[in-house]
Amino acid sequence: PMGTPAYMAPEQVRGEKRVDQRADVFALGCILYELWCGKRAFVGEDTLEVFNRVANGQFLPPRELVRGLPERVEAAIYGARWGESWGRR
């Protein structure tokens, strides 16, 4: 896989050959999460742990980190990152 682990889409982490523009949208959602929540969505002790968290969708929901998070911001985060990421192949 090529990229920064915390911003890589699940299909990149899995090493799939077909990675398209949705991976860029996923990365944008990761950045939006980080801007609003003040921390990365996917963290771990090492790269393998980060990859596992990305591949399995393990993250703290934004509302747990930011009280009063506007609904449309939350929708943008989930829409960009998690709309279909873990189900697409």
Side-chain angles (χ1 to χ4, degrees):
M2 185 175 203
T4 303
Y7 303 96
M8 290 173 64
E11 61 270 27
Q12 287 177 290
V13 168
R14 291 189 296 263
E16 295 180 12
K17 296 189 187 306
R18 288 186 39 163
V19 176
D20 58 25
Q21 68 277 4
R22 292 177 294 179
D24 294 328
V25 175
F26 183 92
L28 183 60
C30 291
I31 293 167
L32 186 58
Y33 181 104
E34 190 171 342
L35 287 170
W36 274 89
C37 297
K39 63 186 284 180
R40 289 183 175 179
F42 303 103
V43 294
E45 293 292 319
D46 55 33
T47 301
L48 183 59
E49 187 176 350
V50 173
F51 280 170
N52 282 327
R53 289 181 186 273
V54 170
N56 294 307
Q58 295 174 326
F59 60 92
L60 283 175
R63 287 201 178 259
E64 287 187 21
L65 297 171
V66 181
R67 277 195 341 176
L69 181 71
E71 286 184 27
R72 62 183 167 175
V73 171
E74 184 179 43
I77 291 171
Y78 280 102
R81 287 186 34 203
W82 297 299
E84 58 184 48
S85 296
W86 285 282
R88 65 186 187 225
R89 299 243 179 225

